[in-house]
Structures are given as structure tokens and as C-alpha cells.
Amino acid sequence: MSHKITLTQFLIEQQRGLPDASGTFTLLLNNIVTACKKISHLVNRGELIGVLGSAESENIQGEIQKKLDIITNDIMVNELNWTGHLAGMASEEIDDPIKIPDQYPKGKYLLLFDPLDGSSNIDVNLAVGTIFSILRCREGIHPDVQDFLQKGAEQVCAGFVLYGPSTMMVLTTGHGVNAFTLDQDIGEFILTHCNMQIPETTSEFAINMSNQRFWEAPVQRYIEDCVRGNDGVSDKNYNMRWIASLVADVYRILTRGGVFLYPLDTRNPSKPAKLRLMYEANPMGFIIEQAGGLCSTGRERILNIKPDSIHQRVPVILGSKQEVERIMQYHQQG
Ligand code: F6P
Ligand code: MN
């Protein structure tokens, strides 16, 4: 019988390669894994345990929360606030950074997360996920918002768990991207996809077409050229996919290439873009770049943005390298 590498073995072997590593980071990731296994179980049980539907409350983004947005946020907080590895946390669902309770020791990392990405899909039984990003923090301090406002390029680790037909964890610590599939029988994530690489070229795009009239000119022109295919200036015909769960769209791009756009739009002047820099764009940007792709606003590299607020939104264009470069050229042309 072939030996299967568990996520725990993978992390410990990676840690052995770093002589200065104390093991704290490996323990922190194990706590994140436990939280995500709990979330996977709840999402899978769905209506059997009455967790679907709206909570009828609004989050900081002005979005109506699902019951599972709140439950999964609480799971993340309660699985991670006691560990001693974190100095603080920030969640897409909570207005201010989450403090570590006084009775627990503080650690050297900051954790940012979107506890249930794509939650509008939960009631229709489509894939959702948890996205997380880990930053360093000066030890022994009570971090304030400023301590979280680091560029994406500073991330120590980024990952997401996709609750789809299989539950999968996709992870990078800056040495490539690996994916692990949850073996429900033994309760362990098993390494199934080593060193994922995004194909450089693609003929598949993902965008919410219903916003078309609100986009900027460069995005209008790019999508028009995709849709016209080889009847227009493109040398190929394009296919389109839109799952409306960033985790699922990004996982597709990691496996077969493609480009994903959530561009600037003029629908609501107070919300010029939809995705959140700290909880969505930065972790996905780190993963996509580590798999050989690009992640940009159309004008600049997402990971180079110096955040000015913790719930900041950014336009996101990510995926196959050559296609993102092509979209950036459309932006340069104005
Ligand atoms: O978290 C935001 C999100 O749900 C992403 O997962 C997804 O890519 C996007 O919003 C879907 O947006 P829309 O509902 O506009 O299609
Ligand atoms: Mn989200």
C-alpha cells in the first residue's frame, strides 16, 4: 500500500528544512485545519442541522449575513483565540480586529480570514470556502488596526479550503502551492496535488456579465474581444465560467488555467469594487503568483498595495500569466 502524506507530515517536514523554525507556525496551521474540518462538517450537514438561510443581520460591508457566515466566523475565532500563537485576528464579518482574550498568551502571528466565501451559494448547495492569510506581528504587543495594514507581499502563508464535492485545502508558504484532499474516513487532509502550476495561456474567462454596463472602458473592450473570439481581433474563441464563489473560481484556474475578473464598476459609488484586499485579494494573489500566475488590479500588482483600511476593496484580475498581462495592456491603452 502506498504511503500517503498527511498535511501534518508535510508541515513538519517543511519545518525541518527551516533550522530556525520553532514549530509554532505548524501548530497554528493545525488549529486552522481543525476549524476548517468543523466548518466542512457543518456545511456538509446543511439543512439536516438547520444551518442554512439568512441570519437577517448585516455585516460591516452592508451585506445580509447568512446563518453560516456567523457560525463559521465563531468557529474560526473560538478555535484560534486560545492557542497562544496569535497576536490578533481580523475577519471579513467583524468591524474591528478581534482581540485575543486577556487570559491567553499572545503569539507572533496575525490571522485574517473570510470564514465563508461565496456564502450566497450555500442555500443552493454550491461550493463555498474559507480563505485565510497569515502575517507576522511584533511579539508581546496588543496589535491595533495599523499592525494589520501590511502589504500582501509580506504574507507568511495564505490558503483556502474549498467545501465542494471534496473538501480541499490549498496552501502556500512562499514555496509553491500544494493542495490536500480531506479523507473523511480518517479525518486527515492528504497531499494530492503537488506544486500546482497554472497554464500560462488560456481561452476561458470568468466575470459577472450582468455588471457589464458599469465597467471601465479597458474591461469593456477586453470582454468584447473575448466574446467576438476569432470573428474579432482574438486568435481564438473563448469559453466563460462564473461560479460566484471566489474559492471555486480560483481552484478551477489553478487546475486548468483561466482568468477571473471582478473589476472596478460604477454601480455604487461608495463601493467601487467588490472583493476585499485583506481577506480575499491578498491571499488569492499570493497563491496565484506562487502557482506561476498573476494577480493585478489591471494597473498594479495586488501584493504591492499598501492597505489604508482593513475592509478595503480592490478590483481583482487574476489567473494565467499571459492573459492577465494582456488585460493589463488594455488598461495601459486607457
Ligand atoms: O465574497 C465575495 C464573493 O462571494 C466571491 O466569492 C465571488 O467571487 C463574488 O463575491 C461573487 O459576486 P457576484 O455575486 O457579484 O457574482
Ligand atoms: Mn468572500
Side-chain angles (χ1 to χ4, degrees):
M1 198 170 67
S2 69
H3 175 69
K4 291 180 177 167
I5 297 180
T6 63
L7 177 55
T8 309
Q9 180 180 354
F10 177 87
L11 292 172
I12 289 176
E13 285 181 1
Q14 262 202 345
Q15 178 193 316
R16 286 194 189 123
L18 305 168
D20 295 335
S22 63
T24 306
F25 177 74
T26 303
L27 291 169
L28 169 60
L29 266 175
N30 264 322
N31 292 118
I32 295 173
V33 165
T34 304
C36 292
K37 282 187 203 167
K38 287 192 173 181
I39 295 173
S40 175
H41 179 70
L42 284 183
V43 165
N44 183 258
R45 301 287 289 159
E47 200 48 31
L48 293 175
I49 51 171
V51 291
L52 302 187
S54 167
E56 275 148 29
S57 52
E58 266 190 16
N59 67 8
I60 176 83
Q61 327 280 345
E63 296 161 346
I64 301 291
Q65 289 177 304
K66 297 280 181 185
K67 284 185 204 164
L68 269 172
D69 284 321
I70 297 170
I71 297 169
T72 56
N73 182 74
D74 290 349
I75 290 176
M76 290 296 282
V77 172
N78 293 330
E79 281 304 321
L80 286 145
N81 66 3
W82 56 269
T83 62
H85 310 314
L86 292 175
M89 290 182 257
S91 165
E92 185 181 294
E93 298 297 331
I94 306 286
D95 304 8
D96 298 316
I98 302 158
K99 291 193 169 36
I100 302 298
D102 287 341
Q103 70 262 38
Y104 300 127
K106 317 278 171 297
K108 59 182 174 189
Y109 295 110
L110 299 171
L111 177 69
L112 298 97
F113 57 85
D114 176 357
L116 200 65
D117 175 64
S119 57
S120 67
N121 276 330
I122 188 70
D123 294 343
V124 291
N125 201 22
L126 293 178
V128 290
T130 301
I131 310 174
F132 60 91
S133 161
I134 301 175
L135 296 165
R136 270 184 231 288
C137 181
R138 285 173 293 134
E139 257 181 279
I141 64 156
H142 287 281
D144 61 21
V145 178
Q146 285 303 322
D147 295 293
F148 286 85
L149 301 183
Q150 305 178 30
K151 289 182 183 177
E154 310 278 328
Q155 291 171 102
V156 178
C157 170
F160 67 88
V161 176
L162 176 63
Y163 312 111
S166 300
T167 291
M168 298 198 64
M169 175 171 276
V170 177
L171 197 65
T172 186
T173 55
H175 304 281
V177 176
N178 294 286
F180 304 81
T181 305
L182 182 61
D183 183 334
Q184 306 276 2
D185 291 338
I186 60 170
E188 291 278 1
F189 279 98
I190 305 293
L191 178 61
T192 47
H193 298 65
C194 286
N195 195 20
M196 297 181 91
Q197 289 291 322
I198 302 172
E200 283 201 5
T201 58
T202 185
S203 51
E204 193 164 73
F205 69 92
I207 195 165
N208 183 339
M209 289 292 289
S210 68
N211 299 325
Q212 185 170 21
R213 68 189 188 282
F214 302 112
W215 300 330
E216 291 187 300
V219 175
Q220 297 269 7
R221 287 201 311 275
Y222 169 70
I223 295 296
E224 197 183 316
D225 288 344
C226 290
V227 172
R228 287 174 63 80
N230 59 17
D231 283 346
V233 297
S234 301
D235 57 2
K236 55 193 172 191
N237 292 323
Y238 280 77
N239 185 32
M240 195 203 88
R241 287 286 181 273
W242 183 251
I243 303 176
S245 275
L246 179 64
V247 279
D249 278 313
V250 165
Y251 190 74
R252 185 188 61 254
I253 289 170
L254 283 166
T255 48
R256 71 174 189 214
V259 72
F260 168 100
L261 302 93
Y262 215 118
L264 274 187
D265 69 53
T266 56
R267 255 179 306 168
N268 177 346
S270 70
K271 290 181 194 165
K274 176 155 194 197
L275 298 182
R276 274 52 57 122
L277 175 62
M278 309 290 296
Y279 315 105
E280 294 171 321
N282 274 343
M284 289 314 197
F286 192 18
I287 291 167
I288 290 284
E289 284 194 6
Q290 283 292 315
L294 289 181
C295 181
S296 167
T297 62
R299 298 184 170 91
E300 68 176 314
R301 182 185 178 219
I302 295 272
L303 298 189
N304 279 346
I305 298 174
K306 174 78 180 95
D308 51 37
S309 77
I310 197 141
H311 294 294
Q312 181 172 342
R313 295 167 185 265
V314 277
V316 176
I317 297 169
L318 61 79
S320 292
K321 185 167 180 286
Q322 288 184 22
E323 199 67 16
V324 176
E325 279 167 352
R326 189 171 155 222
I327 300 170
M328 290 169 76
Q329 279 165 17
Y330 279 75
H331 283 79
Q332 273 159 22
Q333 287 152 12

